Amino acid sequence: MYQFDWSTILPNLPYLWVGMVVTLKITVTAVVIGILWGTLLAVMRLSSVKVVSWFARLYINLFRSVPLVMVLLWFYLVVPGLLQQMLGLSPTSDIRLISAMVAFSLFEAAYYAEIIRAGIVSVARGQGNAALALGMTSWQSLRLVILPQAFRAMLPLLLTQGIVLFQDTSLVYVLSLADFFRTADTIGINNGTEIEMVLFAGAIYFVISLSASLLVSHLKKKRTV
């Protein structure tokens, strides 16, 4: 019968925390950039200019049709030199972390765009017409009237997508990037406690995701009261 050995967890907590910081960096960066770029894509998707709308639709459908692992490999194997030139990175920069941040941001933007587009469409058209009647421009109406209402309505969905993103960050193992999961797995392999470390990592992901899910449920209840 297998004897579990949990004694290696406590001494390795500092190393696990370093891995968690990498995971959180990727998550936060992808959420912020994903929402910003996703908002722009959603507005472009609803544009009356066909070329703009076509570009947004193509972008969204492309990234939603490709596995995330493949996107990560694209940005790590195909475009590291391009990223270094565009972002002005030094040769000593960890291109794996930068590649992961860019790939996750662009990938998640496609999903955020659809969520935000649905939120914009859900706002009554009369809201925009009333803003125009008050003398606002179309851009002012969108920025000051429609988007604030849309974001309040779709906040739970945005947070839920963020939870999914946090869980998906473990896929950076294909880049040999030492995120939380890979760090735990490496410690387990080195100490002969791989099962224990993987179970511990899974428990941490579960606790964080469950806590965030409960927060989303709380926000939903507050909105319905």
Side-chain angles (χ1 to χ4, degrees), residues 5 19 33 35-36 55 68 77 86 91 95-96 110 117 124 137 141 144 146 148 155 161 171 188 202 213:
D5 180 11
I33 297 179
I35 290 178
L36 292 175
F55 169 79
L68 177 55
L77 300 176
M86 291 178 60
I95 194 62
R96 294 173 300 175
R117 183 175 70 88
T137 64
S141 172
L144 300 176
I146 298 176
L155 181 60
Q161 185 63 33
L171 293 176
S213 297

Side-chain angles (χ1 to χ4, degrees), residues 50-86:
K50 290 186 178 180
V51 175
V52 174
S53 179
W54 176 84
F55 169 79
R57 187 184 299 112
L58 177 64
Y59 180 100
I60 293 169
N61 290 334
L62 174 63
F63 277 93
R64 284 167 62 92
S65 302
V66 178
L68 177 55
V69 172
M70 187 176 296
V71 176
L72 287 169
L73 290 175
W74 280 350
F75 279 88
Y76 178 60
L77 300 176
V78 180
V79 295
L82 179 62
L83 286 177
Q84 286 181 326
Q85 292 179 2
M86 291 178 60

Side-chain angles (χ1 to χ4, degrees), residues 100-118:
M101 287 180 174
V102 173
F104 269 98
S105 297
L106 297 182
F107 183 86
E108 291 298 322
Y111 288 86
Y112 279 123
E114 287 298 276
I115 295 173
I116 295 168
R117 183 175 70 88

Side-chain angles (χ1 to χ4, degrees), residues 101-171:
M101 287 180 174
V102 173
F104 269 98
S105 297
L106 297 182
F107 183 86
E108 291 298 322
Y111 288 86
Y112 279 123
E114 287 298 276
I115 295 173
I116 295 168
R117 183 175 70 88
I120 293 174
V121 172
S122 69
V123 177
R125 183 171 296 181
Q127 297 286 332
N129 293 335
L132 294 176
L134 291 173
M136 291 186 182
T137 64
S138 297
W139 167 243
Q140 288 175 326
S141 172
L142 177 66
R143 181 170 59 90
L144 300 176
V145 178
I146 298 176
L147 282 179
Q149 295 184 63
F151 271 98
R152 280 196 294 270
M154 62 194 173
L155 181 60
L157 290 176
L158 295 176
L159 292 176
T160 299
Q161 185 63 33
I163 297 171
V164 175
L165 166 60
F166 170 73
Q167 296 169 343
D168 287 344
T169 54
S170 60
L171 293 176

